[in-house]
Amino acid sequence: MNIAIVDDSREEQQIIHNAVADWAEKNHQRLNFLVYDNGESFIADLDSRSFDIVFMDIYIWIS
């Protein structure tokens, strides 16, 4: 299962990753994680990748 985490906070990325990884271990699931710091890089990757689940921060800081 391919999982994308899109969040500009490293702390939030880690919290989501750990929670989902713990669930996967308990349920004998294999997961592939890709973590993105911003929506632009995630969207750019959609041409070459597909995801089963996307965890996306809806309040990403734009500089």
Side-chain angles (χ1 to χ4, degrees):
M1 187 177 306
N2 294 319
I3 309 291
I5 301 172
V6 186
D7 200 308
D8 57 339
S9 166
R10 298 284 171 149
E11 182 179 345
E12 293 296 324
Q13 292 171 357
Q14 195 63 45
I15 290 168
I16 295 167
H17 180 277
N18 291 345
V20 176
D22 287 347
W23 174 87
E25 185 176 338
K26 290 175 186 172
N27 291 281
H28 310 289
Q29 298 292 316
R30 290 188 71 166
L31 302 180
N32 299 310
F33 288 95
L34 280 172
V35 179
Y36 299 90
D37 293 326
N38 59 66
E40 290 86 3
S41 60
F42 169 71
I43 290 170
D45 239 7
L46 287 178
D47 287 336
S48 61
R49 299 184 185 273
S50 64
F51 298 98
D52 300 295
I53 299 174
V54 176
F55 293 93
M56 183 175 293
D57 181 359
I58 61 170
Y59 293 109
I60 295 179
W61 178 256
I62 299 174
S63 55

